[in-house]
Amino acid sequence: YSNIDLIDKYNIYAPEIAELNCGRDSKRCTTIEGFIKSIPQDAKFVKLPHVVPDESGTPLVEVKDLKFAYEDGTQALNGLSFEVKQNELVALIGQNGSGKSTLSKILSGIEGNFRGTVKVADLDLHDVKNRRNMPRHVGYVFQNPDHQIFNRNVYAEVAYGLKNMGVTQSVIEERVNTVLKSVNLIDKIKEDPLFLGRGQKRRLGVASVLAMHPEIIIVDEPTTGQDYKMSKEIMQLLKKLNEDGTTIIVITHDMRLVAEFCPRSIVMNQGKIVYDGSTFDLFKNDKVLETASLRAPQIVRLSKEMVKVGISDDIMLTSEDVNRAYGKWIVIQNNDK
Ligand code: ADP
Ligand code: MG
């Protein structure tokens, strides 16, 4: 694990600790204990400002006391309320069965038989007309791409939704091309999606909702079953879309990606929201983590140990943060000299 070049080259999901510069000689460590031991006695980590959710936008999603049961009686959602503001990037997390996909299907107008209030872009989703119009506002990328993709070539798959929207042929062509370039699939434009790899299918799923230019994209577990590099690429694509103005809700089990990319987290448990706030405060909150059976990323666990032994004032979320905080410390020491 100390051979970073090899790890990069063969795309291995290495422990985050292996990304830290540790000790004065910056050699690699692979365990929390090893890292802490390598820190010089007089070291102190500089406190960095942490990312907070930007809730300055207008509300795009408004949910109040939402309840939902499937036809067989399964109570999937048990009364939840939250808002998502324009241009946020929110992680939706929680164990299997906690209701994340059900919530996403309601927000995208697929399921309508709910109780409570759900408004998207000021449209009441109790109204079937508004639900039918939802694909213009909310793009839902299914958990399983095979449930979403059904055309026999990549071009047709992306063009499908646009045709339904009544977009003209020339605009369709232009949008399909742009969108396939942005997800790096332009060279597959004539291929049958059946022959695409998992990661490629994922990106195709994202492309076909992107083409509709929705205000909100909900991506259901885009990183499950992908290697780290692919997961990171998908998250980088979502981040880019977010920077360009799209509101993003991403469902994922990968706490490392949540820490790295999502300023805000909503945590669900048994059809309820058990936490809604900054990702930073979530990872500080051991009680919530335990309730929802979440394991904080390795760097968070490391920095909690560092706080305990008094070498850091607060937790850190990513290896980059630790290296930055540590790097500064080294500079300060040198200046002191
Ligand atoms: P998550 O996406 O967080 O894993 P889901 O929204 O898929 O959770 O599921 C929430 C609850 O609803 C679970 O108890 C699940 O078994 C149930 N459920 C999901 N889909 C259906 C369905 N089509 N019919 C009946 N129950 C369902
Ligand atoms: Mg799900």
Side-chain angles (χ1 to χ4, degrees):
Y1 282 137
S2 53
N3 190 339
I4 290 289
D5 294 337
L6 192 76
I7 287 174
D8 272 357
K9 186 168 171 200
Y10 294 105
N11 198 9
I12 294 161
Y13 209 147
E16 286 179 273
I17 302 245
E19 292 168 7
L20 300 178
N21 304 317
C22 58
R24 289 209 160 95
D25 52 359
S26 293
K27 82 181 185 348
R28 301 285 156 192
C29 295
T30 52
T31 63
I32 289 181
E33 296 75 20
F35 181 76
I36 290 187
K37 265 196 208 135
S38 79
I39 301 168
Q41 287 269 305
D42 53 346
K44 186 111 177 101
F45 286 73
V46 173
K47 195 167 175 169
L48 301 169
H50 55 84
V51 183
V52 289
D54 176 8
E55 295 178 88
S56 59
T58 51
L60 255 192
V61 175
E62 297 164 274
V63 173
K64 224 173 173 177
D65 204 24
L66 169 61
K67 296 189 175 118
F68 179 84
Y70 283 100
E71 272 173 13
D72 66 358
T74 309
Q75 188 71 34
L77 302 176
N78 283 308
L80 41 95
S81 306
F82 67 97
E83 281 189 357
V84 176
K85 305 280 174 54
Q86 199 163 16
N87 217 8
E88 282 200 86
L89 198 177
V90 186
L92 183 58
I93 53 197
Q95 277 183 295
N96 283 337
S98 57
K100 305 177 299 294
S101 294
T102 306
L103 175 61
S104 310
K105 283 185 251 171
I106 291 173
L107 293 179
S108 46
I110 298 168
E111 295 280 4
N113 203 9
F114 58 84
R115 286 195 289 156
T117 311
V118 180
K119 279 190 186 170
V120 174
D122 243 357
L123 300 169
D124 184 348
L125 293 202
H126 277 302
D127 185 337
V128 66
K129 280 199 298 290
N130 289 339
R131 287 206 299 279
R132 284 203 195 112
N133 257 325
M134 264 313 108
R136 292 167 191 264
H137 301 282
V138 182
Y140 177 52
V141 185
F142 279 65
Q143 182 164 354
N144 182 344
D146 293 330
H147 293 169
Q148 179 179 353
I149 296 167
F150 57 95
N151 286 283
R152 295 308 299 272
N153 74 70
V154 167
Y155 179 92
E157 181 62 34
V158 181
Y160 181 83
L162 294 170
K163 274 189 195 143
N164 277 351
M165 269 167 69
V167 176
T168 62
Q169 194 58 35
S170 61
V171 174
I172 292 180
E173 268 172 40
E174 191 223 299
R175 280 210 207 169
V176 173
N177 276 290
T178 313
V179 122
L180 285 176
K181 272 182 210 146
S182 77
V183 300
N184 215 354
L185 277 180
I186 192 70
D187 56 326
K188 305 281 182 210
I189 191 162
K190 289 189 178 133
E191 269 185 45
D192 188 329
L194 275 179
F195 300 113
L196 298 180
R198 264 190 85 87
Q200 293 170 328
K201 279 189 189 169
R202 249 307 150 204
R203 283 182 278 144
L204 178 57
V206 174
S208 24
V209 306
L210 266 186
M212 321 266 283
H213 292 179
E215 290 146 273
I216 307 170
I217 294 182
I218 305 178
V219 201
D220 204 341
E221 301 200 10
T223 59
T224 308
Q226 312 267 354
D227 57 37
Y228 184 61
K229 194 169 152 211
M230 186 58 71
S231 301
K232 207 161 169 166
E233 267 174 34
I234 294 172
M235 291 305 294
Q236 270 155 354
L237 170 66
L238 296 178
K239 189 178 172 195
K240 165 101 192 353
L241 294 171
N242 180 247
E243 283 162 1
D244 293 345
T246 309
T247 305
I248 311 260
I249 299 176
V250 56
I251 299 174
T252 180
H253 287 287
D254 190 325
M255 293 304 119
R256 179 173 175 180
L257 293 173
V258 172
E260 222 166 300
F261 289 96
C262 308
R264 174 178 168 197
S265 293
I266 297 178
V267 183
M268 292 184 63
N269 190 40
Q270 296 182 347
K272 285 193 167 153
I273 291 176
V274 292
Y275 178 88
D276 181 359
S278 79
T279 298
F280 187 85
D281 288 335
L282 165 67
F283 287 133
K284 274 178 96 155
N285 193 330
D286 290 328
K287 213 167 151 199
V288 173
L289 294 176
E290 197 184 322
T291 308
S293 306
L294 299 173
R295 191 161 196 242
Q298 195 184 23
I299 294 299
V300 171
R301 288 180 278 127
L302 166 76
S303 55
K304 279 181 185 170
E305 293 302 316
M306 288 165 51
V307 172
K308 262 192 223 156
V309 298
I311 47 179
S312 174
D313 292 336
D314 215 337
I315 65 160
M316 288 174 261
L317 299 194
T318 65
S319 55
E320 205 180 304
D321 283 352
V322 177
N323 281 337
R324 266 165 60 216
Y326 200 13
K328 272 201 188 136
W329 169 79
I330 291 169
V331 172
I332 289 165
Q333 291 299 304
N334 288 343
N335 286 348
D336 281 353
K337 266 188 220 157

